[in-house]
Amino acid sequence: MICILLVAGHGTVLETQIKNDVTGLYGQLTGVPKALLPGIGGKKILDFWWETVNTRQLFSEVYLVTNADKYKHYERWATANDFPVENVVNDGSTTLEGRLGAVADLELAIHSRKLQDDIMVIAGDMLCADQNFDIAQVLSFFRSKPGELAIYYELEEGEKSSSRGIVEVCPETHRISRFLEKPQDGVTALRLASVVFYCLRKATLPYLSDFLTLQPQAQDRTFGRFWEWIINEQKLPVFGMKLPTGFQLIGQVGLSDYTKWLAHYSAQQQQCPAKPITCRSYARVGLMGNPSDGFNGKTIAMTISNFWAEVTLMESQTLVLLPHPLNDPTEFGSLQDLYCISRKEGSVYLGGLRLLQATCKKFYQFCSKQGIALTKQNFTLKYDTNIPRQVVMSATLKCLMKFYNITESDLPKPTRANFILNVETDELFITAGLQDRVVQVYEGLVYMDFSKQLMDEQGYGDYIPMDMSSLPPFWLAYLSDPSDSGRIHSNVRQRWLNGEAEVVEAMKSFAALTDQARVALQGMDWSRLAQLMDENFALRRSVYTEDCLGPGNLKMVQLARQFGSAAKLPGSGGAVVGLCLDQVRLVRLILSRLKQDCVSYFGHFILIVPYKWLIDAQAINCNSVI
C-alpha cells in the first residue's frame, strides 16, 4: 500500500484574508501554505497526517503532491520532519486558475513515480477532530472488501450537506449505493459526508485517466465528481467506512471558518481525558411467554431498577480490566478458605472479567466488520452487580458506545440486543435467550415477537415498548441461591429442534398467551392477566417437568397460590412473579414483617420480597391478621 498526501490546492481565500487581517493576530501566518497552518494542539495540520501514515509496516512509500508556488515550503518541511524530499511531487501550477485539479494531481504522482500498488489518498490540509483514530483498522477494512473505500463521517449540527459529498451506505454490505456531490438544500436528508480520504485498488487506477479525459476543466476534476461517476454511472463497488469524528477541509474556506473549526475541535480535545462513564443495565421480569423467546415465540417482559449491573469506564494509558473483589477472587485466607468459597460459589471459576473481555473483543470485531474506525484510546473497566453477572455485558456495551462516540444509527437497539446475545452464546458458550437482552436494551415494559419469519427476514424480531403507567401491583419473591439458566432449559431445545410435536405446540401456545396478555395489559383486564400468568406456568410445568423446574421454584408458586395469587417464573428459575387481585391476606401478611425486614420497590408498582417472607407468612394465623 502506498499513501499519497495531497496539498496542491492554492487556497487563495484563506491566504488573502490572513494577509489582510487588521488584528495582527495572524501576521506570522502570511504566506504559509494551508496544510502547514496550526492544527489541533498547536501541531501543524500536515504534521498530524504524516505521523498517522509514517508506518513502514502499513505503507511502503508516502508521497506528497504540492504546487510550484508552495513547493519550497514543503521541501523545507520535509527536511525538518524526516520526510523523503525526493517523494515531494511538484505539479507545476502557480495559480488557482492554472491548477490541475485533485484527481489530476493524484494521476500525476502515480504516473511520474510509476506506482503499481493499492493507493491511499488523503487531503493533507484537512482538520481532523480526533487525533487518535486507528489507520490500521482502515486498511484492514479496505482489504476485507472487494472494491474501493471512501471514509465518511456524520455531519455535526450546523454543517450543511450542500457543502459536502454525501453518501448513501447500505447498512448490511456497507457498499455506497449513491454519491451526491454538494447536493442542493432539500434534495436529500442524508447526513453522511465523504471526505478526501480514500483507498483505491491497483486495478481501478486506470479509471483515473478515463475520468480526466471526460473532464477537461480543472474545476470539474474533483474527487466528488470522480466518485459520482464511479459509483452512480460506472457502478463500481465502493464501500464506506465511518470514522466517529469530524473533518474539515480548509481548501477554499475563509479565516473565520478556519479559526471556528480549529477552536471547536481543540475544545473537544481539551475535554480529554473524559470524565468516567458509568452505565447500568437492569434485571428483567418475564411477565408472559417465557421461555419461548429462544423458540421463535413471543414474550412480554420489563426491567426493574432494584437489581442491576453497573460498569464504569475511565480513560487510561493502557487497557485494564479490574477484577471484582467478590466475583473475581484472587486472594484467599487459606487453602481451606479457597476450598469453601469454590465449593459454595463454583461460578467464581468463571467470574466477571471474562464477560468484560468478551464484550470488548466482540465490540472491536463488530466495529471493524461494520466499517466503523475506532480511536486509539485505552480505558479501565470495573464492574459491580447485585444480579447474575451476564447483565454486565449490556452495561459494558453502553460504556463502550459512549466512550467511542458510537451512535444509535451505528448500533441500533435491535442489533445491540443481538450483539449481546452473540457474546454470550458464540463467544462464551452461555445458554441464553434473546428476550433478556432486548428488554435490557429497550428498558421498561416490552412486547417481543421472535417469529421465524421476522428473524429470517430482518435478523431480529418486532420489539414494541408498552405503557407502564397503569400496571397493577405485581410482586416478586426470590431464592437466595437461584438456579442456573443453562440447567433449567434441560433437553427441551433438542426436542424442539427435532420437531417434537408437544414442544413445538407448547411454544406456539406460549406465543398465543403473550398476545392475549398484551390485550389484557392494554385493556387493564387484570383478572384475565392473572389467569394467563397461571396458564403460562402450567404450560411450562407440563413441558419442562417438575424435576427440571426444581422443588424450590415449585414451592414458591404453591405458597403464592395458597394466598390467592397468580404466579409464574419470571426467568429461568430462582424467583416467582405474582399478581394478587385480592391482596388483603398476602400483602398484609407480608407488611406485618416490616418491623423485622425491609421492603424495596421498583417503579410504583412491584413489591420485592425475599422467599422467606412467604414461609413466615404461611406460619401466621391469617384470620387473626386480617
Side-chain angles (χ1 to χ4, degrees):
M1 172 69 79
I2 293 171
C3 181
I4 298 178
L5 300 172
L6 298 180
V7 293
H10 288 273
T12 56
V13 176
L14 180 58
E15 185 172 344
T16 300
Q17 290 186 2
I18 289 176
K19 181 179 180 180
N20 297 332
D21 177 61
V22 296
T23 66
L25 297 175
Y26 307 101
Q28 75 278 13
L29 301 179
T30 300
V32 176
K34 54 187 190 299
L36 299 183
L37 290 172
I40 298 169
K43 184 186 302 182
K44 294 181 177 66
I45 298 172
L46 184 58
D47 287 351
F48 162 70
W49 290 112
W50 172 228
E51 290 176 8
T52 300
V53 302
N54 186 18
T55 306
R56 297 297 297 183
Q57 295 93 327
L58 301 179
F59 301 101
S60 58
E61 293 286 350
V62 179
Y63 291 88
L64 185 75
V65 183
T66 183
N67 56 54
D69 185 45
K70 302 298 183 185
Y71 177 79
K72 283 294 181 181
H73 288 272
Y74 289 109
E75 184 181 53
R76 185 169 298 176
W77 172 87
T79 302
N81 288 274
D82 199 27
F83 185 96
V85 176
E86 64 274 15
N87 284 3
V88 179
V89 179
N90 186 344
D91 77 355
S93 66
T94 56
T95 65
L96 178 64
E97 293 73 20
R99 68 190 185 278
L100 303 185
V103 178
D105 280 325
L106 176 60
E107 170 81 349
L108 172 66
I110 293 171
H111 280 186
S112 66
R113 303 308 166 96
K114 299 179 180 180
L115 306 182
Q116 298 289 325
D117 202 348
D118 295 339
I119 301 290
M120 174 181 283
V121 55
I122 301 173
D125 59 353
M126 185 165 56
L127 284 171
C128 178
D130 199 316
Q131 306 284 288
N132 294 306
F133 72 85
D134 190 350
I135 197 79
Q137 197 177 8
V138 174
L139 290 178
S140 177
F141 185 71
F142 167 62
R143 287 167 178 152
S144 73
K145 297 297 181 182
E148 321 318 311
L149 177 65
I151 297 299
Y152 66 90
Y153 76 102
E154 192 163 354
L155 290 173
E156 295 190 34
E157 185 177 352
E159 289 189 87
K160 294 184 178 181
S161 58
S162 58
S163 65
R164 297 285 186 272
I166 302 300
V167 295
E168 183 175 338
V169 184
C170 174
E172 285 78 32
T173 65
H174 313 294
R175 181 169 175 171
I176 298 177
S177 56
R178 190 165 55 131
F179 190 104
L180 302 174
E181 172 65 357
K182 299 179 180 178
Q184 293 182 354
D185 292 338
V187 170
T188 180
L190 296 171
R191 300 283 295 168
L192 304 179
S194 172
V195 295
V196 183
F197 191 156
Y198 315 113
C199 294
L200 295 91
R201 295 173 299 167
K202 174 184 174 182
T204 307
L205 298 182
Y207 280 89
L208 295 170
S209 297
D210 296 341
F211 171 77
L212 292 173
T213 300
L214 296 172
Q215 303 293 346
Q217 301 299 318
Q219 62 265 28
D220 297 322
R221 294 178 166 186
T222 65
F223 279 107
R225 297 300 178 200
F226 174 75
W227 290 118
E228 274 191 322
W229 178 69
I230 285 288
I231 295 169
N232 303 349
E233 297 181 31
Q234 298 300 307
K235 306 298 183 183
L236 263 63
V238 179
F239 297 86
M241 184 176 197
K242 180 182 180 183
L243 290 182
T245 186
F247 294 89
Q248 290 296 325
L249 273 170
I250 61 170
Q252 293 301 316
V253 304
L255 180 59
S256 62
D257 283 332
Y258 161 65
T259 55
K260 178 187 75 174
W261 285 110
L262 179 59
H264 176 61
Y265 289 162
S266 297
Q268 291 181 356
Q269 289 293 306
Q270 289 172 4
Q271 294 173 3
C272 297
K275 295 179 181 179
I277 298 169
T278 298
C279 295
R280 278 188 176 185
S281 289
Y282 299 98
R284 63 93 189 95
V285 171
L287 287 183
M288 194 63 58
N290 58 305
S292 72
D293 55 308
F295 305 89
N296 297 129
K298 301 177 182 180
T299 65
I300 295 174
M302 63 181 167
T303 50
I304 55 176
S305 59
N306 300 65
F307 300 108
W308 43 262
E310 181 180 274
V311 173
T312 298
L313 182 152
M314 302 158 287
E315 188 171 0
S316 56
Q317 290 296 316
T318 58
L319 201 156
V320 180
L321 306 179
L322 294 178
H324 190 276
L326 291 178
N327 297 324
D328 305 290
T330 57
E331 286 189 35
F332 303 89
S334 65
L335 187 59
Q336 181 185 19
D337 183 36
L338 181 149
Y339 166 79
C340 293
I341 292 176
S342 302
R343 183 182 179 186
K344 183 179 180 182
E345 304 176 33
S347 61
V348 298
Y349 288 136
L350 304 176
L353 286 181
R354 64 177 186 140
L355 306 177
L356 301 180
Q357 187 169 350
T359 305
C360 292
K361 176 197 170 187
K362 295 290 277 189
F363 178 77
Y364 182 87
Q365 181 180 335
F366 173 87
C367 291
S368 298
K369 186 177 180 180
Q370 294 297 116
I372 303 172
L374 302 176
T375 55
K376 291 192 293 185
Q377 294 171 278
N378 287 324
F379 54 83
T380 294
L381 280 179
K382 65 178 181 178
Y383 76 97
D384 192 14
T385 181
N386 59 10
I387 50 176
R389 288 185 292 274
Q390 283 91 320
V391 184
V392 164
M393 293 182 289
S394 178
T396 301
L397 181 58
K398 289 180 182 180
C399 286
L400 291 172
M401 289 181 66
K402 287 187 177 182
F403 185 68
Y404 286 108
N405 194 29
I406 303 301
T407 66
E408 179 76 24
S409 59
D410 296 326
L411 192 49
K413 287 182 178 179
T415 306
R416 219 177 302 167
N418 285 348
F419 172 93
I420 299 166
L421 181 66
N422 289 338
V423 175
E424 288 189 274
T425 57
D426 298 347
E427 193 71 20
L428 299 173
F429 307 104
I430 298 173
T431 302
L434 191 51
Q435 169 193 249
D436 296 10
R437 306 311 158 221
V438 171
V439 74
Q440 284 159 7
V441 167
Y442 281 79
E443 298 187 351
L445 181 67
V446 186
Y447 167 87
M448 294 160 271
D449 182 352
F450 303 101
S451 70
K452 187 176 188 303
Q453 181 178 353
L454 287 171
M455 298 299 290
D456 289 345
E457 289 178 355
Q458 60 187 30
Y460 53 86
D462 273 350
Y463 311 136
I464 303 174
M466 299 180 67
D467 181 23
M468 293 185 69
S469 61
S470 301
L471 288 181
F474 298 100
W475 57 265
L476 181 72
Y478 54 91
L479 294 167
S480 60
D481 186 18
S483 302
D484 179 76
S485 177
R487 296 172 189 165
I488 203 70
H489 287 176
S490 186
N491 65 345
V492 170
R493 168 160 293 280
Q494 190 58 51
R495 293 164 60 195
W496 180 74
L497 292 172
N498 293 340
E500 186 176 318
E502 179 186 6
V503 178
V504 172
E505 289 305 314
M507 297 308 162
K508 292 180 180 178
S509 297
F510 279 123
L513 290 173
T514 301
D515 283 334
Q516 296 174 58
R518 182 184 179 190
V519 173
L521 283 163
Q522 291 172 335
M524 292 186 287
D525 188 348
W526 309 137
S527 178
R528 178 58 177 153
L529 182 61
Q531 180 185 357
L532 292 168
M533 291 174 68
D534 283 338
E535 291 181 22
N536 195 118
F537 179 75
L539 181 59
R540 183 168 184 171
R541 188 174 192 170
S542 67
V543 175
Y544 283 84
T545 74
E546 292 187 358
D547 288 341
C548 182
L549 293 185
N553 295 316
L554 294 172
K555 183 65 174 177
M556 283 193 290
V557 173
Q558 179 186 354
L559 289 173
R561 299 277 173 81
Q562 290 179 17
F563 296 118
S565 177
K568 65 178 290 294
L569 302 186
S572 57
V576 293
V577 60
L579 175 58
C580 186
L581 300 179
D582 182 11
Q583 301 174 59
V584 177
R585 283 193 304 167
L586 179 62
V587 174
R588 287 188 179 178
L589 286 170
I590 293 173
L591 294 180
S592 71
R593 309 298 297 165
L594 276 174
K595 293 182 179 179
Q596 301 176 33
D597 298 286
C598 61
V599 181
S600 57
Y601 297 85
F602 57 90
H604 301 287
F605 313 105
I606 301 177
L607 179 65
I608 311 286
V609 298
Y611 170 47
K612 70 184 184 68
W613 284 15
L614 298 184
I615 297 294
D616 293 341
Q618 185 188 34
I620 298 175
N621 186 324
C622 297
N623 292 327
S624 64
V625 175
I626 295 174

